[in-house]
Amino acid sequence: MFRRTEPTDCMITWDGAALPARAGEPLAVALLAAGITHFRDTAVSGTARGPLCLMGACFDCLVQVDGEANVQACMVTVHAGLRAAPQHGARDLDDAA
Ligand code: FES
């Protein structure tokens, strides 16, 4: 679906698996370039969702980043060692603090 035009220069993890990425690119771009399109499941029906707008408007790209839930993958820049994971349903209320 997507093809990189620039070389990768760091590694991140997605759900525990190592993925090549480019520091400074949006996390959503890194995941899409790796062939990942399922970022989260909806809270009510569990339907799979992935990025739609890539500009912070739709919230369909919510993931967990470095242990923090409800992070918009299109608005986070990649850094070496970033740890991301899919978000399943709504976040725990304990995370809201
Ligand atoms: S893709 Fe729409 S908010 Fe991230």
Side-chain angles (χ1 to χ4, degrees):
M1 177 186 254
F2 294 93
R3 183 175 55 87
R4 284 192 175 280
T5 58
E6 301 286 333
T8 59
D9 61 6
C10 67
M11 296 298 286
I12 63 174
T13 60
W14 172 250
D15 213 11
L19 295 179
R22 187 167 176 84
E25 71 183 355
L27 174 58
V29 169
L31 296 176
L32 289 170
I36 295 163
T37 58
H38 179 184
F39 284 37
R40 71 178 185 103
D41 299 323
T42 60
V44 175
S45 67
T47 304
R49 289 284 192 260
L52 179 64
C53 70
L54 293 173
M55 61 181 191
C58 73
F59 289 79
D60 271 339
C61 65
L62 294 179
V63 296
Q64 299 176 50
V65 174
D66 293 332
E68 181 179 348
N70 277 1
V71 176
Q72 290 172 283
C74 67
M75 304 304 285
V76 170
T77 55
V78 164
H79 59 82
L82 181 148
R83 294 175 298 115
Q87 182 160 315
H88 301 292
R91 70 179 183 180
D92 292 335
L93 290 177
D94 292 341
D95 294 343

